[in-house]
Amino acid sequence: MNILVNLVSDQTIPNVLVTYSIRERFSIDRLFFISTNYMNKKNKVKHIVNTLSELGINVDYEILTLTNEYSLYDIYKDLSYLSERYKNAQFFVNLTCGTKIMFFVTHEFFKSLGSKFFYLPEWKKNSIINLSVFDADEEIPINLKLSAKNYLSGYGITLENYNSLPNYINRALERKNITLKLYNNYPQTKQMLSELFEQIKTNGYKIKQKKILLTFELSNLNDIQKSILKSYGFTIKGSSVSASLDKYDIEYLTGGWFEEYVFITLYEMKNEGIIDDVVLKMQTLVSNLAVHNELDVAFTKDNKLFIVECKSLDPDDEINKNALYKIQSFKDRTNIGANVKGFYVTTSSAIFDNHSNDVKLHLKNRAKLYNTEIIHLDGSKNLKEIILPYIN
């Protein structure tokens, strides 16, 4: 019998990647997770196993809960259970996670059994190091590209609106031309978008599923603005414009268009093979905490997750700070790891210092602390060119 042993800690994705990659190569029959009471309370093994199941891997597994993870003697004694119960087994040991003490004792124990050892360092994108053979040719390739759903599943995060995501994508692609017009002509469309936003906000239109006829008063409409409004189905009579709109139209006209612009850019990068997956408007639930969050855009590349918060028009300093905080709050509350990178993409000129024309120092410092990049777009900048260096 071939048994793969995984050390369990807060970071679950390395165990998913290693298990997926070496299971078939070494004909693994059973998984063993060396865990702690604290990790068991957080259901870490359950999240790993559920993600593997999503990926089509269903293998018998057991959890060995350490008596005292801070005692070398107790850990060694607990591990003896494995060698006594499975005397003729070949052990394959993944040392990527767990504490340093768990790493050290587990390595010493299984070394005496002639086991093979594997390690996936953070800087490795596509292969796992075989610690048993000091030869680059013996590295194990990772033939897996996690989707955003898979990645979040590894941390016990479910997508509440998973079945609705294709609808969001289809709507974004259907109005792609309008979205690109709005962005590429942003200096000319900004005033119109601002007036629409204020009137919708002031009048307190109830967002409904069913379309209702709404009329707005817009000043000094230029040809580009009129062209965009007509493309969206508006009727124009002087300064009065009207259209039948539903909740999705209202969301689009009050900022959703900018989220869709960011999504469309990343969607095209996915089609070019630059990134692996991208989703729009994810509503997430952390199962063990009943914590709900919404992400404007999220994408994956080389089994790493990136999250994007978007703000159009000119949100003030407080809103900009809150946008950065929202990114960090999601990472903290879901415990998905500090290496998840965030992007705050905005058209707001309020992020700049009036004297230096650089991003305000307090925003820059906060973004750095949160492992987040601030990206300013004004209609003339190419998001793909800006974002590429950060994800490569």
Side-chain angles (χ1 to χ4, degrees):
M1 176 180 283
N2 290 340
I3 297 175
L4 172 61
V5 178
N6 287 304
L7 304 182
V8 179
S9 63
D10 269 323
Q11 300 309 307
T12 56
I13 294 302
N15 281 336
V16 171
L17 297 175
V18 172
T19 301
Y20 184 93
S21 301
I22 74 172
R23 178 192 63 93
E24 188 171 348
R25 177 164 179 160
F26 295 101
S27 302
I28 300 299
D29 302 300
R30 194 171 189 80
L31 303 179
F32 249 98
F33 294 95
I34 300 174
S35 185
T36 65
N37 285 315
Y38 184 53
M39 290 298 115
N40 290 346
K41 286 180 182 178
K42 297 170 86 170
N43 293 318
K44 290 296 178 178
V45 173
K46 178 183 176 182
H47 301 330
I48 294 169
V49 171
N50 285 347
T51 306
L52 289 170
S53 180
E54 284 182 10
L55 297 168
I57 295 178
N58 296 285
V59 183
D60 289 339
Y61 72 95
E62 289 184 50
I63 302 173
L64 174 62
T65 304
L66 298 176
T67 307
N68 180 2
E69 66 265 33
Y70 303 106
S71 166
L72 277 71
Y73 172 78
D74 286 336
I75 295 175
Y76 201 92
K77 184 179 177 182
D78 290 337
L79 292 177
S80 299
Y81 160 81
L82 287 178
S83 60
E84 291 170 3
R85 182 173 175 182
Y86 299 98
K87 293 182 179 179
N88 298 318
Q90 171 69 50
F91 292 98
F92 301 79
V93 186
N94 171 22
L95 294 170
T96 307
C97 299
T99 65
K100 289 183 174 64
I101 293 176
M102 289 168 66
F103 178 105
F104 174 75
V105 179
T106 302
H107 181 266
E108 290 302 302
F109 178 85
F110 284 102
K111 185 170 69 171
S112 65
L113 301 178
S115 304
K116 295 182 182 294
F117 298 96
F118 304 92
Y119 186 75
L120 176 57
E122 190 176 323
W123 46 268
K124 276 284 183 184
K125 290 182 178 181
N126 301 310
S127 60
I128 300 160
I129 296 174
N130 184 345
L131 294 177
S132 309
V133 182
F134 296 100
D135 187 339
D137 292 336
E138 290 297 320
E139 291 187 356
I140 313 297
I142 300 174
N143 298 315
L144 173 66
K145 299 294 183 183
L146 292 173
S147 67
K149 180 180 183 295
N150 296 149
Y151 192 102
L152 293 170
S153 175
Y155 292 92
I157 304 168
T158 57
L159 302 186
E160 294 183 285
N161 63 339
Y162 180 70
N163 292 331
S164 299
L165 294 180
N167 295 331
Y168 291 130
I169 293 173
N170 290 336
R171 269 193 293 269
L173 295 177
E174 285 170 3
R175 51 194 178 200
K176 171 183 172 181
N177 290 337
I178 298 175
T179 300
L180 293 178
K181 268 187 181 181
L182 283 169
Y183 176 71
N184 293 329
N185 297 284
Y186 184 68
Q188 290 78 38
T189 59
K190 179 180 176 181
Q191 181 62 33
M192 175 190 74
L193 290 166
S194 181
E195 288 185 24
L196 280 171
F197 180 85
E198 288 302 323
Q199 289 186 47
I200 289 170
K201 180 181 174 183
T202 303
N203 291 309
Y205 291 120
K206 291 183 179 180
I207 299 177
K208 298 180 179 180
Q209 198 81 23
K210 187 178 179 180
K211 286 184 179 288
I212 56 174
L213 182 65
L214 296 177
T215 301
F216 306 95
E217 292 296 322
L218 302 178
S219 59
N220 302 317
L221 287 173
N222 58 41
D223 290 340
I224 292 174
Q225 293 169 347
K226 290 177 181 177
S227 171
I228 292 171
L229 288 170
K230 287 177 180 177
S231 297
Y232 205 82
F234 277 87
T235 299
I236 303 172
K237 293 182 180 179
S239 62
S240 179
V241 301
S242 58
S244 293
L245 306 174
D246 60 16
K247 60 176 288 188
Y248 303 109
D249 298 318
I250 296 291
E251 289 173 355
Y252 180 79
L253 294 169
T254 55
W257 72 271
F258 189 59
E259 295 172 16
E260 291 188 13
Y261 167 73
V262 172
F263 168 79
I264 287 167
T265 302
L266 291 166
Y267 187 83
E268 290 175 349
M269 291 171 66
K270 174 192 171 185
N271 289 340
E272 294 170 17
I274 298 172
I275 63 174
D276 302 318
D277 185 38
V278 59
V279 287
L280 174 69
K281 294 184 180 297
M282 285 198 308
Q283 294 173 5
T284 65
L285 171 66
V286 184
S287 53
N288 61 323
L289 299 175
V291 174
H292 302 264
N293 292 277
E294 183 172 320
L295 300 176
D296 291 343
V297 183
F299 66 97
T300 54
K301 176 178 169 60
D302 294 328
N303 299 312
K304 295 192 181 298
L305 181 71
F306 301 82
I307 56 180
V308 188
E309 178 72 6
C310 309
K311 293 290 181 190
S312 62
L313 298 178
D314 279 316
D316 60 24
D317 211 40
E318 195 62 31
I319 293 176
N320 288 323
K321 285 192 293 185
N322 288 341
L324 292 171
Y325 175 74
K326 181 183 174 183
I327 294 171
Q328 185 60 28
S329 175
F330 176 77
K331 293 196 281 186
D332 288 343
R333 295 165 82 183
T334 56
N335 204 26
I336 58 174
N339 63 338
V340 171
K341 193 166 191 64
F343 294 96
Y344 174 42
V345 185
T346 181
T347 59
S348 174
S349 56
I351 65 172
F352 295 112
D353 186 285
N354 292 331
H355 302 291
S356 66
N357 291 323
D358 195 8
V359 174
K360 291 176 180 176
L361 186 60
H362 72 92
L363 292 176
K364 191 183 293 186
N365 289 341
R366 186 178 295 238
K368 184 177 181 181
L369 180 66
Y370 294 165
N371 189 23
T372 295
E373 300 296 334
I374 298 175
I375 297 176
H376 179 258
L377 297 178
D378 59 6
S380 64
K381 298 174 184 175
N382 185 305
L383 176 59
K384 176 183 173 182
E385 293 177 359
I386 296 172
I387 212 168
L388 267 175
Y390 296 118
I391 64 174
N392 285 332

